[in-house]
Amino acid sequence: LTAGPELDTRPEFLEDVRAGLCAERKRLSCRYLYDERGSKLFERICEQPEYYPTRLEAEILERIAPELAALFDEPPRLVELGSGSAEKTRLVIEALIARHGSLLFEPIDISRSALELSSQGLLEEFPELEVHAIASEYVAGLHALSEECEISPAPWLVAWLGSSIGNFHRTAAADFLRRLRNELRPADFLLVGVDMRKDASVLEAAYDDEAGVTRAFMKNLLLRMNRELGAEFDPDAFRYEATYDEELGRVEMHLLSERAQRVLITSLGLEVDFAAGEAVHLENSYKYSGEEIEALAKSAGFEVRRHWDDGEDRFREVLLALPKESP
Ligand SMILES: C[S@@+](CC[C@H](N)C(=O)[O-])C[C@H]1O[C@@H](n2cnc3c(N)ncnc32)[C@H](O)[C@@H]1O
């Protein structure tokens, strides 16, 4: 396990919390949702009946894994951005090992605990697997890997699953893909799991499950600030809301203050005032149409080589590569 260049996130966490909670429209970044408890809660979200993306993506990956393995004449390196439990990735790992005999898997995730747990499980399950886990922010991790390419020229299959691309604003998603593109070579592929636009009722249920696991996941950020920053949030004094904005094509996730309150954050020497009903923005999840995916890929300098869906176009796996004519 390599500690990536940005693993010490505390200074950034402090600064982001200060900036976010002092802003006119309060916000906290979704990347801080994934501490050890948050990563475990996310796994439980994936098991909720309303949370269709994990189930659909697993079905698609199971079906297409042999085709992905057949993209390469020589054993590729499998890189995964935000791998989490890597539960679905094992389907791809299995197919790559079946076709190529062995595999180097390089997961990148800011959650060190998720990396440790998933790597251990994978190594026990697949004796032919080597794992080089990188505890880092996406871009820094990928950049560290691309520097190693001079030593190992094997082609890459980069997986970015779970509709994590949806957490980026549309323009930021294009910028991020462009940065990824700059790290990739003509023989490499990028596989992106994308959640499609659909009915508001399906989306709002998926992001606010009946059992309250998503609610607990979001409120865990308040508890994380209590644990790590000496904050004094009462999680019961906030309620969680997920709403779909059809026009923008995004689910917006907020915590709303139940009453007027003042909260101390000791490590910042800061007291934050919340008005009754005031919202703190936590996360967006953008949904895409087929045309939007094509336009996004093109604007980032990628070509969509193939895509597969669940049969009802609720979720898509999109295979991107550098345009064929590119030098
Ligand atoms: C929505 S979960 C998806 C997990 C898994 N890929 C799946 O499909 O179920 C996002 C994962 O990305 C990680 N993550 C979030 N933001 C990140 C960032 N900026 N850099 C690296 N990892 C990040 C989180 O720790 C978490 O494990």
Side-chain angles (χ1 to χ4, degrees), residues 12 59 62 89 94 121 173 178 229 232 234 256 301 322 325:
E12 228 177 312
E59 283 166 19
E62 186 161 22
T89 323
E94 195 172 8
R178 215 168 290 122
L229 309 182
E232 294 182 356
D234 170 6
L256 290 94
L322 304 195
E325 64 276 16

Side-chain angles (χ1 to χ4, degrees), residues 31 34 39 42 46 57 80-85 88 108-111 114 136-138 161-162 164 167:
R31 60 194 277 193
Y34 297 90
S39 294
F42 182 75
C46 294
E57 186 168 42
E80 182 169 11
L81 304 174
S83 47
S85 69
K88 288 166 292 183
I108 299 170
D109 202 296
I110 35 166
S111 172
S136 167
E137 212 278 317
Y138 295 137
L161 308 179
S164 292
N167 295 138

Side-chain angles (χ1 to χ4, degrees), residues 313-324:
D313 215 12
R314 289 172 292 177
F315 199 95
R316 261 192 209 187
E317 240 23 80
V318 184
L319 187 69
L320 303 176
L322 304 195
K324 283 226 170 81

